[in-house]
Amino acid sequence: MEPESLGAEQGASLPGPAEELGTLLGQDAALPKLSGGELDRELESKSDLIDDKEFDIPQVDTPPTLESILNETDDEEESFVLEDPSLLNIDNIDTHSYDTSSLASSDSGDRTHSKRKKKLPDSFSLHGSVVRLSLLKGISAQIVSAADKVDAGLPTAIAASSLIAVGTSHGLALIFDPNQALRLCLGSTAVGAQYGAISALSINNDCSRLLCGFAKGQITMWDLASGKLLRSITDAHPPGTAILHIKFTDDPTLAICNDSGGSVFELSFKRVMGVRTCESRCLFSGSKGEVCCIEPLHAKTELRDHPITQYSLLAMASLTKILVIGLKPSLKVWMTFPYGRMDPSSVPLLAWHFVAVQNSVNPMLAFCRGDVVHFLLVKRDDSGAIHVTKQKQLHLHYDLINFTWINSRTVVLLDSVEKLHVIDRQTQEELETIEISEVQLVYNSSHFKSLATGGNVSQALALVGERACYQSISSCGGQIFYLGTKSVHVMMMRSWRERVDHLLKQDCLTEALALAWSFHEGKAKAVVGLSGDANKRKSVLADRMVEILFHYADRTLKKCPDQGKIQVMEQHFQDMVPVIVDYCLLLQRTDLLFSQMYDKLSENSVAKGVFLECLEPYILSDKLMGMTAQVMKDLLLHYQDKNLMEDMEACIVHMDITSLDIQQVVLLCWENHLYDAMIYVYNSGMNDFISPMEKLFKVIAPPLNAGKSLTDEKVVMGNKLLVYISCCLAGRAYPLGDIPEDLVPLVKNQVFEFLIRLHSAEASADEEVYPYVRTLLHFDTREFLNVLALTFEDFKNDKQAVEYQQRIVDILLKVMVENSDFTPSQVGCLFTFLARQLAKPNNTLFVNRTLFDQVLEFLCSPDDDSRHSERQQVLLELLQAGGIVQFEENRLIPMAEKAEFYQICEFMYEREHLYDKIIDCYLRDPVRKEEVFNYIHNILSIPGYSAEEKQSVWQKAMKHIEELLLLSPNKAADLIATHFNDQIEGIIKNLQDQFLLFQFLRSLLDPREGINQDMLQISPCVTEQFIELLCHYNPDHVLETLQVLEFYRLEETIQITQKHLLHEASSYLLEKKGDVHGAFLVMLEQLRSKLLMLTCEIEESTELHLLKDIEDTLVKTIALCQRNSHSLNQQQREALWFPLLEAMMSPQKLSSSTVLCQYSEPLKSLTMQVLNNMAAFIALPSILQRILQDPVYGRGKLGEIQGLVLGMLDTFNYEQTLLETTTNLLNHDLHWSLCNLRASITRGLNPKQDYCCICLQQYKRRQEMADEIIVFSCGHLYHSLCLLSKECGIETKGQMRWTCYKCNSSNKGGKLSENFSELKKGNGASLTQLALLTELSRTHGGEKHGLLNVSQGDPALNSVFQNENFQLHLTPPPLTEE
């Protein structure tokens, strides 16, 4: 099936591929176009509907013609592929119940809320009011009057065409003409009593016939011209069902009716021999699903010849799906479309409209149930098949009870709380929302429940009927009529003018302007009343906008707050005035802006100021060029008054100031230091490029020549001057834009001539020559020379240019070389500039070489020690710029060495490839010493250097190795490890300074320093030498270093640490060696000596320190014992822990010592710590026995150790409780698992069939003795012999293990082999039942090959409980490892 076409009903042929129709008009030339006269007549006929003079009802807008539709640009290019209908679910089912009557008429809400002033919604400010809802007073009054006077009853249904028909609950149909006059009253209350209320109405195309459907199922046809009853139809559909819908098709002899049984019937009217008949044909039976909404496709007069009209299409909505059928030429179902899941109380809605998509006009069906509207485009292809294409859906946040097209772009939706939403279809934007509860809309619930015939309808249809209002809303010619319980309202689109005026009435002027501008730009939605070509439309709108702008300006001045602060007034105008400027500029009406608008606003000084200030952004973005001289003058004066000088300058350089008094502007700029503006005024106003330079030179030259430093302001002036000169020489205007092309050469020559003047105008007698060049060189030599360099780049190589270049170079040399007041840096800049120029291939300059020699001597003079680095840098730049060719190299290097210019030496050696000499340059240069390591590394490791060059550098580095180590041991070690690996031992022997050797070895061997140890091939004696030096220079770090070092011999290292009395390190090494007892004795000895010190009389200051020391040693000793106790037997453990306990308790025995009294508490807590840790490894009785055997405690002094014993008992109680709890938990878990397993084994198996899945014979019929019946948990049943024949059973230790043939063959034998492999691992069977339980529990986990043998038990295989060594391992308490 094609993705874009919908499936047809079964039995109907599927349409072909959904091709685009191209331009429909090209294929069907019969489609008419409306001429001008027809259009006018069309207009008149539409506007005659209602008397707008009498009832103040606005005119009806013209529906768009076919031509205008075809000319619309439609952005709906892409057609949506229809999803799988099952995916179109709507999940948010609304469970509220709704009253059958209108919300407003049920008096449930607060009636005053509709009268409150509401805040403007966003859509209102954006689109204004798009539609207008008006009460038809005449019709409303007559409906109420008919109810009172002739007992017509309440209104129940409405149908609108060029006449309006209203049906009532007592069976009358009231017909009103367009002037709201009652033309006919059809029917009688007597007939009403027999037929019931009118439940549906329909008027045919030419307004000559009316069909009335009644609540008790009858149908009547009336002649609207004469008021005669033409037909009474009582047998068109099953009796006892109400008519829900009756609709004429475009063929006046054909109508469709839908009854409360959910059936749909076609009524065909005929007249034979003067007798009017009606034939009925069932199109859809309610027994297949109840239809509750029908909509035939109606085409307007101008579209009657559209090829799709020949099918007489009808859309029907049942409670589960949508159908589109063709009634002609024969009945055919073209499309079915299921809804998916829906709120059962939501109302199905259908609506057709012709729309233009991709240059062809085709009908579009909107259908909705709930909060999603689907749009289906219906097309006919060349073969005559109909295709349905899904378009963009409209997702809403409310449930709909009505959907109406007002034109092809705009739809009006009514939601379940009686709010109207006007929506633009293409953009899906909500244009307006209107509350219509005051209409008191009539609901058709009683007909849907068929109350008149005893309520014989399905519950589903009755639920939909709760909110059905199909017959209360009727649309015709762009108007929508709403039938209320006592009134009729009409809604129509406002014209563009009305929408703008409506906003003006609400005093929303800015919104009105914005809306009018959106009409002007063609961006507005739901536009009505704009015709003609684009230019004509724009001029109409521009005129209207100008009117509004005048009104806006008047209002701005009128609404200005009189009293209060000036800021309040300013804020008022800042909000209002920019709007005027914006729209005048958008409309390109600067004439209006600077004449009438400006004159109006100038009446108020604050408004005038705000007006002038808001011009600034437009001036800066060059949007505002043609300002009048008066406004420009006022603008400058305003900025001057407000002291907004920077803003003023920014504006001046964007303005055409030829119409102003230039001298006055120049003076203003100069006084306020607006140099950019001043230069711009001279340049653009008078084509004078030299005067601004002279003015600026006069300010900055005197202090520079006097050797003073410039103020910040003068520095700014100097910088501007340099940029200005640069712009002039490059042909660019200052500060932005370009100089006119014809002026460029002239300006260049003028500026050059000016710069190289011998004397300035009005010069004093003592002025030095070339003042301008001299000033610029003093101000910023480098930048000035850069400007000249750029200019030289631009020069064409003509004779005059060459002369200028040579001349300016000669002047530069004369000024700088003959003067001693320039710094080395400035002189260097000049010669660097010259060297660059001379190095160019097309160079024409000449400079004397002796000048370069003089510069060299000047820069390298050893007498002048100041600015050393500056002079070196300058010379380096000079050489790099190409100045090297101007010097003799054999003279340059000695001079550089003498002046200690090591970078110069490096530059020269680099040219000669003397890389080893560069190492000396680095080592002698205090600034760059550290970089020598990188340099050596690069030379030795980067390709591109010859072997001889690398060898010379390597030898030079070896020669200076001690110097490199002194410079940075770390970097030197890194270098040695990389490039001098095989020389390490030689380097160590040659190093005399022991501390330096220690630093070197630490950098080399300690992995924490970052050197990769795998690269080094070092003998252990070097590492031991390092450890010895470490013990000597940094004993505190020995232990942590030993822990990270790798290559050392334990015996030798132990001797070193013992020699230096580093007990902890010795203990660590002994433990590493495997001598745990030896390591323990070292630590114990250390602990005892510290405890001994405590018993001596010591100063108070060292007491705390000593206690801390004892605690640290004890913690480390305990950690040692804990680490190793796991691998020792009971006797060895006691040999560790008891001496430790003894050592801690021995000082406490000397209770006579007064010193120890104060330490008894800390010592007891430390002893307790030992006991707690012992308890994990040594049995409590042994500990207690050892304590009690102690001679001190044995003599009855148990009070001393009472605390210790109680502490141990506490620990015992805690651990006993822990063990009991754990056991309980394990037992509980075991009981729970066994319960579950027992439940699963006692559960019966349910075979899927009563025959064997292999031989397909019933299991009862085979009576062989050896045969058993095997049932698997997956439900398959087999004879055991059949399974054996398929190799699905295997015998292990006298027991059979079965696997399901079907499940395993579908798994390609994978699981079968798994099970066989499991069998091989199995252990024998003691817990057969338990294993069976385990097996079953696995089966319930989803594996389908567990089994239950009906005749006997099955062995346990691979059960966890079968293992004879099965134990519960409890984790011991965690150890804190040092």
Side-chain angles (χ1 to χ4, degrees):
M1 188 191 294
E2 288 295 312
E4 288 188 357
S5 46
L6 296 175
E9 185 76 91
Q10 275 186 330
S13 64
L14 282 173
E19 294 169 3
E20 290 300 329
L21 284 176
T23 53
L24 191 71
L25 291 177
Q27 292 167 11
D28 293 272
L31 215 57
K33 294 184 179 180
L34 287 181
S35 65
E38 286 172 314
L39 202 61
D40 292 340
R41 284 198 295 282
E42 177 95 353
L43 263 166
E44 282 164 24
S45 68
K46 293 280 184 281
S47 56
D48 287 341
L49 274 174
I50 296 156
D51 184 0
D52 47 353
K53 292 188 183 116
E54 185 183 348
F55 295 105
D56 190 26
I57 293 161
Q59 276 191 322
V60 181
D61 299 310
T62 325
T65 65
L66 178 60
E67 271 183 301
S68 67
I69 291 175
L70 284 173
N71 289 332
E72 282 175 357
T73 53
D74 200 311
D75 46 12
E76 219 170 86
E77 289 296 321
E78 51 177 323
S79 70
F80 281 65
V81 179
L82 181 68
E83 304 101 321
D84 175 2
S86 64
L87 300 177
L88 291 173
N89 295 342
I90 291 181
D91 295 329
N92 46 345
I93 292 178
D94 192 354
T95 51
H96 296 298
S97 62
Y98 285 85
D99 199 53
T100 55
S101 64
S102 161
L103 294 179
S105 55
S106 61
D107 287 334
S108 55
D110 167 20
R111 292 306 303 278
T112 58
H113 76 283
S114 58
K115 297 195 178 81
R116 289 193 203 121
K117 173 92 172 153
K118 292 191 181 73
K119 183 172 171 276
L120 288 180
D122 291 340
S123 60
F124 180 78
S125 59
L126 194 60
H127 303 287
S129 176
V130 180
V131 294
R132 180 181 59 241
L133 187 71
S134 321
L135 172 68
L136 296 183
K137 295 178 187 170
I139 295 178
S140 304
Q142 290 173 84
I143 289 172
V144 174
S145 166
D148 290 348
K149 293 178 180 167
V150 297
D151 191 23
L154 291 172
T156 55
I158 188 168
S161 180
S162 51
L163 297 173
I164 297 170
V166 177
T168 71
S169 57
H170 290 175
L172 298 183
L174 309 173
I175 312 299
F176 298 93
D177 67 11
N179 298 325
Q180 304 189 49
L182 180 63
R183 279 260 301 272
L184 296 166
C185 175
L186 306 175
S188 65
T189 49
V191 174
Q194 183 187 345
Y195 289 179
I198 289 186
S199 56
L201 290 170
S202 177
I203 300 174
N204 68 355
N205 268 333
D206 60 1
C207 220
S208 61
R209 299 281 183 272
L210 171 73
L211 277 173
C212 303
F214 288 88
K216 292 187 181 175
Q218 295 85 350
I219 299 169
T220 58
M221 180 191 272
W222 299 85
D223 183 334
L224 288 176
S226 62
K228 283 183 185 172
L229 175 67
L230 301 180
R231 290 179 175 83
S232 275
I233 306 162
T234 54
D235 55 356
H237 66 106
T241 54
I243 297 290
L244 299 183
H245 301 276
I246 184 127
K247 306 259 178 170
F248 271 111
T249 64
D250 276 350
D251 177 354
T253 66
L254 208 59
I256 313 292
C257 80
N258 173 205
D259 65 17
S260 59
S263 300
V264 180
F265 293 87
E266 177 191 77
L267 308 179
S268 181
F269 305 119
K270 292 185 179 169
R271 191 170 180 184
V272 183
M273 308 283 289
V275 178
R276 290 189 167 89
T277 62
C278 172
E279 290 177 12
S280 167
R281 166 167 75 146
C282 180
L283 299 178
F284 191 91
S285 164
S287 59
K288 292 182 187 170
E290 293 154 308
V291 171
C292 53
C293 178
I294 59 170
E295 200 60 57
L297 173 62
H298 290 293
K300 293 180 188 161
T301 322
E302 64 264 29
L303 287 167
R304 285 283 154 80
D305 293 328
H306 192 291
I308 210 149
T309 54
Q310 68 197 49
Y311 293 99
S312 193
L313 291 183
L314 170 70
M316 304 190 285
S318 76
L319 297 178
T320 54
K321 64 185 170 206
I322 300 286
L323 290 97
V324 174
I325 64 173
L327 302 175
K328 293 178 179 179
S330 60
L331 189 64
K332 183 164 185 178
V333 178
W334 286 111
M335 188 234 19
T336 61
F337 189 90
Y339 292 124
R341 225 169 78 231
M342 287 287 165
D343 175 0
S345 68
S346 55
V347 185
L349 304 171
L350 295 168
W352 288 99
H353 204 282
F354 280 87
V355 297
V357 177
Q358 294 167 348
N359 294 336
S360 60
V361 176
N362 283 298
M364 186 176 276
L365 174 66
F367 78 85
C368 167
R369 187 174 181 192
D371 59 359
V372 181
V373 182
H374 301 270
F375 292 101
L376 301 177
L377 188 66
V378 180
K379 293 182 181 177
R380 169 189 179 277
D381 68 9
D382 297 340
S383 66
I386 282 179
H387 298 282
V388 182
T389 318
K390 187 86 167 39
Q391 305 288 307
K392 195 174 177 183
Q393 291 178 359
L394 174 59
H395 290 268
L396 307 165
H397 54 275
Y398 39 82
D399 273 359
L400 293 189
I401 57 171
N402 180 261
F403 179 104
T404 313
W405 294 88
I406 201 160
N407 60 32
S408 64
R409 285 171 170 269
T410 317
V411 296
V412 179
L413 315 179
L414 177 62
D415 68 18
S416 51
V417 294
E418 293 193 3
K419 258 193 192 154
L420 283 175
H421 304 265
V422 183
I423 289 183
D424 181 69
R425 183 180 61 83
Q426 275 120 334
T427 59
Q428 305 202 344
E429 192 178 347
E430 189 167 283
L431 309 179
E432 190 172 4
T433 310
I434 304 170
E435 180 86 54
I436 63 153
S437 49
E438 65 207 27
V439 171
Q440 297 190 24
L441 197 67
V442 170
Y443 285 79
N444 314 135
S445 314
S446 60
H447 312 314
F448 271 76
K449 295 175 181 175
S450 202
L451 298 180
T453 59
N456 53 344
V457 296
S458 71
Q459 202 173 346
L461 197 64
L463 189 58
V464 168
E466 292 284 344
R467 294 194 272 176
C469 56
Y470 296 111
Q471 304 303 327
S472 320
I473 300 171
S474 177
S475 69
C476 172
Q479 298 171 311
I480 307 175
F481 296 87
Y482 295 92
L483 180 65
T485 49
K486 294 178 181 172
S487 63
V488 175
H489 286 70
V490 65
M491 190 179 85
M492 64 194 76
M493 305 268 282
R494 293 180 192 267
S495 71
W496 72 269
R497 211 176 267 281
E498 280 180 77
R499 280 166 70 179
V500 172
D501 292 347
H502 182 74
L503 283 170
L504 293 175
K505 276 180 198 162
Q506 308 270 332
D507 216 19
C508 303
L509 270 74
T510 42
E511 286 86 354
L513 281 165
L515 182 63
W517 179 248
S518 71
F519 289 136
H520 186 278
E521 291 300 283
K523 290 180 180 170
K525 306 281 186 300
V527 186
V528 174
L530 267 182
S531 56
D533 65 349
N535 293 335
K536 187 179 168 192
R537 291 205 297 267
K538 286 189 173 187
S539 72
V540 168
L541 279 153
D543 293 346
R544 184 71 185 112
M545 285 180 77
V546 169
E547 288 169 27
I548 300 171
L549 282 169
F550 277 120
H551 177 45
Y552 187 83
D554 293 338
R555 183 167 160 273
T556 300
L557 291 166
K558 200 183 291 177
K559 288 268 178 111
C560 172
D562 299 331
Q563 288 86 25
K565 296 180 181 172
I566 193 88
Q567 286 95 326
V568 180
M569 281 175 76
E570 272 184 358
Q571 188 57 51
H572 167 73
F573 286 118
Q574 278 162 7
D575 293 342
M576 308 291 272
V577 174
V579 177
I580 298 173
V581 180
D582 263 338
Y583 284 110
C584 284
L585 289 175
L586 283 172
L587 293 167
Q588 297 173 342
R589 292 294 303 271
T590 46
D591 55 327
L592 184 73
L593 182 66
F594 294 132
S595 54
Q596 288 144 294
M597 288 295 174
Y598 182 56
D599 296 344
K600 236 183 229 302
L601 292 169
S602 299
E603 294 165 16
N604 182 308
S605 59
V606 180
K608 182 177 175 180
V610 171
F611 177 87
L612 292 169
E613 278 171 40
C614 75
L615 297 179
E616 184 187 344
Y618 300 101
I619 295 171
L620 296 185
S621 57
D622 292 324
K623 287 180 184 167
L624 192 56
M625 303 303 283
M627 288 168 63
T628 59
Q630 183 58 46
V631 174
M632 274 200 271
K633 200 169 170 187
D634 290 354
L635 181 67
L636 297 182
L637 285 169
H638 173 74
Y639 276 135
Q640 202 177 356
D641 292 346
K642 283 281 195 102
N643 201 22
L644 299 168
M645 288 307 159
E646 284 179 18
D647 297 345
M648 177 159 121
E649 182 172 40
C651 288
I652 288 175
V653 298
H654 284 271
M655 284 170 14
D656 176 11
I657 42 81
T658 44
S659 54
L660 292 183
D661 180 345
I662 287 175
Q663 288 305 326
Q664 191 185 345
V665 178
V666 167
L667 192 65
L668 178 72
C669 294
W670 186 254
E671 282 171 359
N672 293 294
H673 314 299
L674 309 181
Y675 306 115
D676 284 0
M678 179 201 75
I679 295 170
Y680 173 79
V681 172
Y682 268 118
N683 293 359
S684 66
M686 298 188 278
N687 277 346
D688 180 355
F689 290 84
I690 302 302
S691 300
M693 288 187 196
E694 288 180 330
K695 282 178 97 73
L696 290 169
F697 269 117
K698 275 181 190 167
V699 179
I700 65 167
L704 280 172
N705 293 338
K708 294 176 186 169
S709 61
L710 295 180
T711 60
D712 288 350
E713 190 189 326
K714 286 180 182 169
V715 170
V716 169
M717 288 168 77
N719 285 326
K720 284 188 189 295
L721 180 58
L722 268 177
V723 176
Y724 175 45
I725 291 170
S726 169
C727 285
C728 290
L729 293 175
R732 291 196 310 277
Y734 182 86
L736 41 101
D738 290 302
I739 297 173
E741 273 190 39
D742 52 332
L743 287 178
V744 171
L746 181 70
V747 171
K748 276 189 181 180
N749 289 346
Q750 280 182 357
V751 172
F752 258 123
E753 291 290 346
F754 170 74
L755 288 177
I756 58 181
R757 279 185 196 171
L758 194 58
H759 284 290
S760 58
E762 306 161 18
S764 57
D766 58 344
E767 185 188 65
E768 295 188 49
V769 288
Y770 305 115
Y772 300 131
V773 171
R774 184 183 304 277
T775 303
L776 289 171
L777 285 170
H778 273 300
F779 175 70
D780 191 334
T781 314
R782 191 182 294 271
E783 282 309 315
F784 176 48
L785 292 172
N786 282 347
V787 169
L788 290 178
L790 285 169
T791 312
F792 286 3
E793 292 285 332
D794 288 348
F795 265 154
K796 309 278 180 295
N797 223 347
D798 58 16
K799 192 172 176 218
Q800 190 189 16
V802 171
E803 281 176 16
Y804 269 132
Q805 282 180 319
Q806 187 64 52
R807 194 146 161 233
I808 205 154
V809 166
D810 293 343
I811 291 170
L812 289 169
L813 287 167
K814 185 171 175 57
V815 169
M816 288 194 92
V817 176
E818 292 176 9
N819 276 61
S820 57
D821 55 351
F822 285 97
T823 64
S825 180
Q826 288 172 318
V827 174
C829 277
L830 172 61
F831 279 89
T832 304
F833 163 73
L834 291 176
R836 283 206 181 102
Q837 297 304 322
L838 293 170
K840 283 185 186 171
N842 57 350
N843 171 49
T844 53
L845 292 176
F846 169 75
V847 180
N848 194 336
R849 280 214 31 186
T850 55
L851 283 172
F852 277 94
D853 289 342
Q854 287 173 9
V855 168
L856 181 61
E857 282 179 16
F858 167 66
L859 290 174
C860 291
S861 63
D863 319 330
D864 181 12
D865 199 36
S866 65
R867 306 195 174 192
H868 179 275
S869 62
E870 182 190 325
R871 285 184 293 126
Q872 175 172 242
Q873 199 57 40
V874 166
L875 184 53
L876 189 62
E877 275 183 31
L878 176 52
L879 293 176
Q880 287 168 340
I884 189 93
V885 296
Q886 312 292 339
F887 301 114
E888 294 170 21
E889 293 185 23
N890 52 7
R891 186 161 170 260
L892 182 57
I893 293 177
M895 287 186 77
E897 284 182 344
K898 194 175 171 190
E900 297 180 2
F901 287 175
Y902 297 114
Q903 281 173 278
I904 306 296
C905 296
E906 182 191 343
F907 178 76
M908 299 304 293
Y909 291 142
E910 184 92 37
R911 284 168 59 86
E912 294 169 22
H913 304 295
L914 300 172
Y915 300 111
D916 53 334
K917 290 196 175 183
I918 294 175
I919 294 176
D920 290 327
C921 293
Y922 274 108
L923 289 172
R924 284 155 66 193
D925 188 345
V927 181
R928 300 190 308 147
K929 265 186 178 179
E930 291 276 329
E931 294 172 30
V932 71
F933 298 104
N934 282 344
Y935 180 75
I936 296 171
H937 174 71
N938 289 347
I939 296 279
L940 293 177
S941 57
I942 292 174
Y945 298 100
S946 70
E948 293 79 27
E949 288 164 356
K950 290 192 177 188
Q951 183 61 28
S952 66
V953 169
W954 190 88
Q955 285 168 346
K956 177 69 91 170
M958 276 301 289
K959 189 175 161 191
H960 289 286
I961 208 83
E962 194 156 351
E963 207 176 328
L964 292 171
L965 278 165
L966 278 166
L967 191 58
S968 167
N970 201 329
K971 288 182 178 175
D974 198 2
L975 190 67
I976 289 166
T978 312
H979 299 291
F980 303 90
N981 204 337
D982 47 352
Q983 301 293 319
I984 290 176
E985 296 195 13
I987 292 170
I988 291 169
K989 277 181 193 154
N990 295 336
L991 275 176
Q992 301 303 314
D993 183 343
Q994 290 297 296
F995 185 65
L996 184 60
L997 178 62
F998 161 62
Q999 285 181 303
F1000 166 53
L1001 288 174
R1002 180 171 61 186
S1003 300
L1004 192 67
L1005 299 174
D1006 193 334
R1008 291 168 299 183
E1009 297 290 334
I1011 293 176
N1012 185 357
Q1013 298 296 303
D1014 300 340
M1015 295 195 314
L1016 304 172
Q1017 286 113 28
I1018 294 179
S1019 66
C1021 59
V1022 174
T1023 313
E1024 286 148 23
Q1025 187 179 357
F1026 164 53
I1027 293 169
E1028 181 134 19
L1029 288 167
L1030 187 67
C1031 292
H1032 185 268
Y1033 289 110
N1034 199 348
D1036 292 347
H1037 287 80
V1038 173
L1039 179 58
E1040 60 187 68
T1041 309
L1042 284 172
Q1043 287 168 345
V1044 294
L1045 281 180
E1046 292 173 11
F1047 309 108
Y1048 56 86
R1049 295 167 297 184
L1050 286 170
E1051 285 298 336
E1052 286 77 352
T1053 315
I1054 290 169
Q1055 287 170 13
I1056 294 168
T1057 53
Q1058 285 176 341
K1059 182 173 89 177
H1060 288 274
L1061 302 176
L1062 297 173
H1063 302 294
E1064 276 184 40
S1066 304
S1067 168
Y1068 167 75
L1069 291 165
L1070 285 165
E1071 185 184 354
K1072 193 170 179 182
K1073 182 180 158 190
D1075 182 1
V1076 178
H1077 199 68
F1080 171 71
L1081 289 175
V1082 171
M1083 291 303 288
L1084 188 65
E1085 189 53 44
Q1086 184 78 347
L1087 185 67
R1088 280 180 177 152
S1089 65
K1090 286 180 181 171
L1091 284 165
L1092 196 62
M1093 283 169 71
L1094 198 64
T1095 58
C1096 310
E1097 299 287 333
I1098 50 171
E1099 292 176 25
E1100 237 175 83
S1101 58
T1102 53
E1103 285 171 9
L1104 289 170
H1105 178 66
L1106 189 59
L1107 269 174
K1108 185 86 181 73
D1109 225 8
I1110 290 170
E1111 189 174 351
D1112 284 350
T1113 312
L1114 180 64
V1115 166
K1116 286 170 185 168
T1117 315
I1118 289 173
L1120 172 72
C1121 295
Q1122 281 181 325
R1123 273 198 305 274
N1124 296 288
S1125 287
H1126 292 293
S1127 55
L1128 301 176
N1129 58 31
Q1130 192 63 31
Q1131 192 178 349
Q1132 289 167 324
R1133 288 181 189 179
E1134 289 181 3
L1136 289 185
W1137 287 102
F1138 283 130
L1140 181 60
L1141 182 63
E1142 179 62 34
M1144 283 310 299
M1145 290 175 69
S1146 58
Q1148 296 177 52
K1149 297 171 191 172
L1150 308 167
S1151 53
S1152 56
S1153 165
T1154 52
V1155 182
L1156 278 171
C1157 292
Q1158 53 192 327
Y1159 303 129
S1160 60
E1161 279 309 312
L1163 284 173
K1164 271 182 186 172
S1165 75
L1166 290 175
T1167 313
M1168 199 65 214
Q1169 206 173 329
V1170 177
L1171 283 168
N1172 282 342
N1173 285 298
M1174 278 174 81
F1177 302 102
I1178 294 176
L1180 277 177
S1182 313
I1183 299 173
L1184 281 172
Q1185 190 179 359
R1186 176 57 66 95
I1187 292 173
L1188 294 173
Q1189 278 172 356
D1190 189 290
V1192 176
Y1193 300 125
R1195 289 203 297 273
K1197 292 192 178 178
L1198 277 173
E1200 294 289 327
I1201 58 158
Q1202 182 184 3
L1204 298 180
V1205 176
L1206 288 174
M1208 284 159 68
L1209 288 171
D1210 272 354
T1211 309
F1212 169 75
N1213 285 336
Y1214 167 71
E1215 290 185 351
Q1216 188 180 20
T1217 312
L1218 194 64
L1219 185 66
E1220 284 170 2
T1221 310
T1222 313
T1223 315
N1224 281 341
L1225 284 170
L1226 282 167
N1227 288 342
H1228 177 271
D1229 281 2
L1230 190 61
H1231 176 262
W1232 180 82
S1233 345
L1234 288 172
C1235 266
N1236 278 343
L1237 290 170
R1238 187 176 177 283
S1240 65
I1241 197 172
T1242 52
R1243 190 182 295 123
L1245 293 183
N1246 175 26
K1248 291 179 181 172
Q1249 63 282 311
D1250 60 354
Y1251 53 82
C1252 166
C1253 288
I1254 295 173
C1255 67
L1256 304 179
Q1257 293 190 23
Q1258 283 213 330
Y1259 68 90
K1260 300 172 186 171
R1261 291 190 185 159
R1262 301 249 315 245
Q1263 295 298 328
E1264 293 177 35
M1265 289 303 289
D1267 208 6
E1268 296 171 337
I1269 307 301
I1270 312 284
V1271 183
F1272 288 89
S1273 57
C1274 54
H1276 294 129
L1277 173 149
Y1278 303 94
H1279 296 111
S1280 59
L1281 291 177
C1282 295
L1283 273 182
L1284 278 173
S1285 70
K1286 294 289 185 187
E1287 298 181 347
C1288 288
I1290 191 165
E1291 190 168 351
T1292 318
K1293 298 181 183 176
Q1295 295 281 357
M1296 282 303 292
R1297 169 78 188 255
W1298 303 103
T1299 49
C1300 175
Y1301 170 67
K1302 272 206 162 184
C1303 297
N1304 272 307
S1305 59
S1306 66
N1307 290 342
K1308 301 191 174 62
K1311 293 202 171 143
L1312 193 62
S1313 60
E1314 257 175 54
N1315 290 332
F1316 287 169
S1317 64
E1318 279 177 22
L1319 286 165
K1320 289 169 194 162
K1321 292 183 210 157
N1323 269 340
S1326 54
L1327 290 162
T1328 310
Q1329 287 297 315
L1330 199 56
L1332 192 55
L1333 295 174
T1334 314
E1335 190 58 49
L1336 271 169
S1337 72
R1338 277 189 203 139
T1339 307
H1340 284 280
E1343 287 189 8
K1344 295 255 181 167
H1345 52 274
L1347 60 103
L1348 176 57
N1349 193 324
V1350 175
S1351 56
Q1352 61 189 46
D1354 201 33
L1357 296 166
N1358 276 348
S1359 165
V1360 69
F1361 302 111
Q1362 252 181 282
N1363 189 338
E1364 289 171 10
N1365 300 326
F1366 174 68
Q1367 287 182 334
L1368 292 176
H1369 291 292
L1370 296 180
T1371 314
L1375 305 177
T1376 51
E1377 199 163 311
E1378 235 355 69

